Amino acid sequence: MRRSLHIKLVLIMVLLIVSLMVVVGAFLMNSVTGYYIDEFYQQITDAFSQENVDFVRYLQTATEDEEDGAAMVSAVLSTYEGLLGVDRRNRNYFVLDGADHGRCLDGSAPIPEGGVPITTNISSALLGVPGLHSNVTADYMDAAIPITRGGHPYIVYILDSRETARNLNTEMFSLIMEALVLGLIISVLLSFLLSMTMVTPLQRLTDGIEEVARGDFSRKLEVTSGDEIGQLTASFNAMAQQLETTIAAVENERNKLDTLFLHMADGVVAFDREEWVIHSNPAAARLLGRTFTQEDRYGELFGDLYTFQQAEAAPAGGLAGSRTVDGRYLELLLAPFAREGQGGVLVLIHDVTEQRKAEQMRKDFVANVSHELRTPLTNIKSYAETLADGVGDLPSEMEKKFLGVILNESDRMTHILQDLLTLSRFDSGRSELRLTTFPFAKAVDDTYQAILMDAQNHSHTVKLRLPGHMPEVRADRERVMQVMMNIVSNAIKYTPDGGRIIISAGYIGDKVWMEVDDNGIGIPESDRDRIFERFYRVDKARSRQSGGTGLGLSIAQEIMNQHEGGLYLVDKEEPGLTIRMELPIQGPQKESGHEG
Ligand code: ADP
């Protein structure tokens, strides 16, 4: 770069000097010639003007006995040589015969052979008009003035070879040439100087720019002068600094976006204008159950929903689609993105499986509640109507029985509503535990004592197995008892009369546990996952008959969850069911209750 700029500088300088010299030289030389010519004619005109009356008179006045007029004219001219500028070398005078076609009669120089050539000025003088015209193209100047002496017409002819002007021009030309050489030397030196003051800082600037272009912003260029280059260097430093800050900010943004993309639950797949995959996140691969490469194209992935052109022309909110992959419901949103000619299509994948399930559960729940309440209500209504229709006609036992049914059904409804209320409290987080520390073994024993009668009514054998030592537990005693009662009464309910029920308890690590094992009807494999769902009952008729609502185990599990414990079915080979509850000895760690 340095060399080329230097050569350019030298060339410009040389060109400048040469063109300047050519213009000045041409102008000067032209001026000198012009001046010389003007001077000549002015001198001749002045010589023959009124100012030099004597000279003109001597020329024109012949003496009385004059024999050779031309010689006399020549003598006068010779005397007045200075006036006419005749030097007899470059400028001479000639006396021509005005009556004989300008024949040369005399002159200050030898008469050329064949006489003086007849020029335009001589022709003019032959007609009696002074010939004072300059011929630019000729290499001479002449003037022809007609005079009359002694009645004979003569022509005073002054001829200048322009040699003086030519010599002057030659002199000037060599002077200009010398100046040119000097100018060229100066220009080369000057361009070196310019190169030192301009090109070197520019070179440094270029190096700096190249480094910045390579991404290295650390180097600061030294500002060595206050001139334009210095300002440029300072501006460049400021620009590099700004660029560094901007790039850092952009990088930061991109990292943020990358992290977001990487960890977001929704899938994102981006396509460029040519429909190739340019970006995808792990969530997209997980949700669609496949990996993406840059070889994948829009058509084979989402072409079934919309064409690429449709997606590219999607309205502001994008185009919505849905798809089911491996039993999961996915909602897709296709939207274009564009920026300065680049762009493409972005596909967002949102997993709505849980939402759908929750929605379905909500619908089922409402349907279940309606159904559960309608049955006792229908019974109450029909018995009440029968009673109302037959007031006084029905036997009193019948009335008693009917009223008994009505009371039973209302109790059942109250029971259901109470259970629903309890669940609703759990759902809204309004149900707080009243935590106390109590002996766990005592609670198990109390449950055992409470159900003993009921079990005996069904001829069940109930065994209680408690270890010698059991720790105290921090929990809501009333709720824990509710869970225990629920699972033990289920064992009684769902075991045919004469069954065997074993209640055992113990502790392991920081947990206490209680298991209730029966040899009853058990739960079919397909229903095992669902018995903790609200209103779920394996055998609806049997459950209802025994006063069950299908909400007991849901509530029990909620209570255990709130205690950070658990309620599970234990796998077993023999018929019947084993259900186990676990509680942390220290009570729940998340503060969801208060000390009661
Ligand atoms: P319910 O009020 O109907 O007893 P639960 O929520 O307590 O409601 O129980 C849900 C369902 O789980 C019952 O309807 C029953 O089908 C089944 N179940 C619970 N415990 C047992 C058990 N010990 N043996 C067999 N089935 C049981």
Side-chain angles (χ1 to χ4, degrees), residues 340-385:
E340 285 165 18
Q342 296 178 334
V345 166
L346 208 68
V347 181
L348 277 171
I349 306 147
H350 184 54
D351 186 352
V352 290
T353 316
E354 296 309 319
Q355 267 161 269
R356 287 244 182 145
K357 270 193 191 158
E359 183 74 3
Q360 193 52 47
M361 270 167 76
R362 197 185 57 78
K363 282 184 191 158
D364 290 351
F365 184 72
V366 172
N368 280 331
V369 169
S370 318
H371 181 76
E372 291 301 325
L373 292 178
R374 203 175 54 228
T375 318
L377 257 181
T378 316
N379 284 345
I380 290 172
K381 193 167 177 264
S382 56
Y383 281 99
E385 273 173 359

Side-chain angles (χ1 to χ4, degrees), residues 486 490-491 493-494 518 521-523 531 536-539 543 548-554 577:
N486 185 273
N490 274 351
K493 268 196 292 186
Y494 299 106
D518 63 47
I521 59 169
I523 293 174
I531 63 153
Y536 193 80
R537 286 165 298 189
V538 178
D539 181 348
S543 163
T549 59
L551 293 170
L553 283 182
S554 323
L577 188 83

Side-chain angles (χ1 to χ4, degrees), residues 37 56 122 142-143 217 246 292 386 419 441 461 484 531 537 542 565 571:
I37 293 170
V56 179
I122 295 177
D142 67 340
F217 297 97
T246 313
F292 297 95
T386 319
D419 280 357
T461 323
M484 289 173 172
I531 63 153
R537 286 165 298 189
R542 188 187 184 110
D571 290 336

Side-chain angles (χ1 to χ4, degrees), residues 129-154:
V129 181
L132 289 166
H133 295 287
S134 73
N135 184 352
V136 189
T137 51
D139 60 349
Y140 64 90
M141 316 181 273
D142 67 340
I145 314 293
I147 57 164
T148 316
R149 187 181 175 103
H152 188 86
Y154 295 101

Side-chain angles (χ1 to χ4, degrees), residues 219-231:
R219 210 178 98 174
K220 285 274 157 295
L221 297 181
E222 195 189 338
V223 182
T224 48
S225 61
D227 58 11
E228 283 82 350
I229 291 181
Q231 283 171 16

